[in-house]
Amino acid sequence: VYCREKTGEGGTMKIMWCGTASLLLESGGTRLLVDPYLRPYDRTGAPFPAEEARTADAVFITHPHIDHFCDAGAFSDRPVYVSARGIALARRNGQDVSAMRELRAGECVSLGAFRVTAYRGRHCSFDAATVFRVLFSPRTWLHFAGALRLLSEAKRYAIPADEIFVLHFADGEKSVVVLGSAGMAEGIAYPRGADLLVFPYQGRAGMHREIVPFLDVFAPKNVMIDHFDDAFPPVSRRVDPKKFPQAVKERLPKAQALVPEMNVWYDVL
C-alpha cells in the first residue's frame, strides 16, 4: 500500500489525483498541476480541490481535449505549458492565452525542484465495445440532450491522435511518468524505470489487458491509475479497477499497484 502524506515516510516527491486526469505533484516546495478539469458534469465524486490546485507554480497539459484542458483558464495567472495546437484551440474558444507557453515534444522545462520532459504520445482509439456501450446505454438515451451538448462541446477541442504528450517529471531523486491517454507513438525511446507510471484507465474494454504493453515499455517500479472515474455522464462511466492490481503483479511482480482516492496525497516511493 502506498504511504500517504500523514505517515511522513517515503521520498520527497508526492502526488495527488484530483479526479479524471487531473494531478498535483509536489517536491522541494514546488507544485505542478497536470490537466486540470473541474468536472462540471460529475456530481458524484469528491469536489475538485480548487484552492489547493491554485497553489501550483505551473500547469502542464498532456493534450487539449475538453477533459484535460478546457478549465486551464482558471489557472491563467501562472505558466500553462501546452502544445501549439492547444494554444490555438484556446484562443478559438475564448480562453485567456496570455500565460500559455508552447511545449514541444523533446523539450525539457526546469521549474524549481522539477525537470519536466515532454515525449510524443498517442491518443487511444475507442474500441467497438466502448462505442456500443455508450450508444446503446439507457442512460445515454434518458439524457440524450445532455449527451449531445457534451459531444458538441468536446468537438470544439478535437485534435489529431498524435497531438499528445507523455510527461516525465523528475526531481533528482524520484521520477513520475504521466500518460495523457493510453497510447504510444512509434519510434519513441520512452524513459524506463520511473518510480511511478500514471496510466489512464479509460477508453477501451479490458483496460487490465491494455496496460500490459505499457508495463513492458516503461518498466516502472510502481503503477497508479487515473481517469477511471465517471467524469462526463451520460457518455462516460466509472471503470472497475479490480483487475488492475493483478495485471501489474503478473507482469511486474515487485511493483505496487495504486488505485488512488481522490484528493489524497501519496508519497512517490
Side-chain angles (χ1 to χ4, degrees):
V1 178
Y2 256 64
C3 297
R4 299 190 184 183
E5 185 180 39
K6 63 184 180 182
T7 67
E9 301 172 356
T12 60
M13 194 186 299
K14 301 178 185 298
I15 190 168
M16 175 192 286
W17 175 54
C18 307
T20 312
S22 302
L23 301 165
L24 270 171
L25 292 100
E26 178 183 308
S27 180
T30 304
R31 278 189 177 179
L32 302 180
L33 176 61
V34 181
D35 290 356
Y37 176 56
L38 304 181
R39 306 196 310 277
Y41 312 99
D42 174 25
R43 304 301 181 192
T44 60
F48 184 89
E51 293 306 313
E52 190 153 24
R54 288 192 178 94
T55 64
D57 298 286
V59 180
F60 283 83
I61 306 297
T62 62
H63 63 292
H65 274 168
I66 186 172
D67 53 334
H68 296 251
F69 181 55
C70 70
D71 293 324
F75 307 93
S76 59
D77 56 344
R78 70 219 67 204
V80 177
Y81 292 89
V82 62
S83 65
R85 186 178 297 273
I87 296 173
L89 285 173
R91 185 177 290 113
R92 185 186 307 168
N93 287 293
Q95 287 183 247
D96 180 4
V97 301
S98 60
M100 293 186 183
R101 308 285 185 266
E102 182 182 348
L103 184 64
R104 301 181 179 92
E107 183 178 0
C108 298
V109 179
S110 293
L111 289 164
F114 284 97
R115 181 177 173 86
V116 186
T117 306
Y119 296 82
R120 181 68 61 198
R122 189 170 183 83
H123 203 279
C124 74
S125 56
F126 301 116
D127 59 354
T130 300
V131 173
F132 288 159
R133 176 189 57 75
V134 173
L135 289 177
F136 297 105
S137 167
R139 188 169 70 159
T140 300
W141 291 98
L142 285 171
H143 304 279
F144 187 68
L148 285 181
R149 177 173 60 86
L150 178 58
L151 292 173
S152 176
E153 293 178 5
K155 189 176 180 180
R156 295 190 289 115
Y157 291 89
I159 59 170
D162 61 350
E163 288 278 343
I164 183 170
F165 296 129
V166 172
L167 298 177
H168 180 260
F169 298 86
D171 69 352
E173 294 184 20
K174 298 292 182 178
S175 62
V176 174
V177 171
V178 174
L179 292 168
S181 184
M184 291 181 282
E186 295 183 2
I188 303 297
Y190 290 117
R192 291 176 59 83
D195 295 286
L196 182 66
L197 173 69
V198 182
F199 182 81
Y201 209 71
Q202 184 87 245
R204 296 178 66 85
M207 290 304 295
H208 63 289
R209 294 186 295 271
E210 298 291 334
I211 197 175
V212 172
F214 296 86
L215 300 178
D216 292 341
V217 168
F218 289 93
K221 295 183 177 69
N222 302 290
V223 190
M224 180 180 109
I225 57 172
D226 67 356
H227 217 327
F228 59 96
D229 54 328
D230 188 6
F232 29 89
V235 298
S236 68
R237 67 181 177 93
R238 183 182 186 276
V239 178
D240 189 345
K242 66 181 179 181
K243 295 182 179 180
F244 156 67
Q246 184 60 33
V248 172
K249 183 177 179 59
E250 290 177 358
R251 212 67 179 186
L252 300 172
K254 295 182 179 180
Q256 296 186 50
L258 171 61
V259 180
E261 297 179 36
M262 283 187 190
N263 307 342
V264 171
W265 284 105
Y266 294 88
D267 291 327
V268 176
L269 302 181

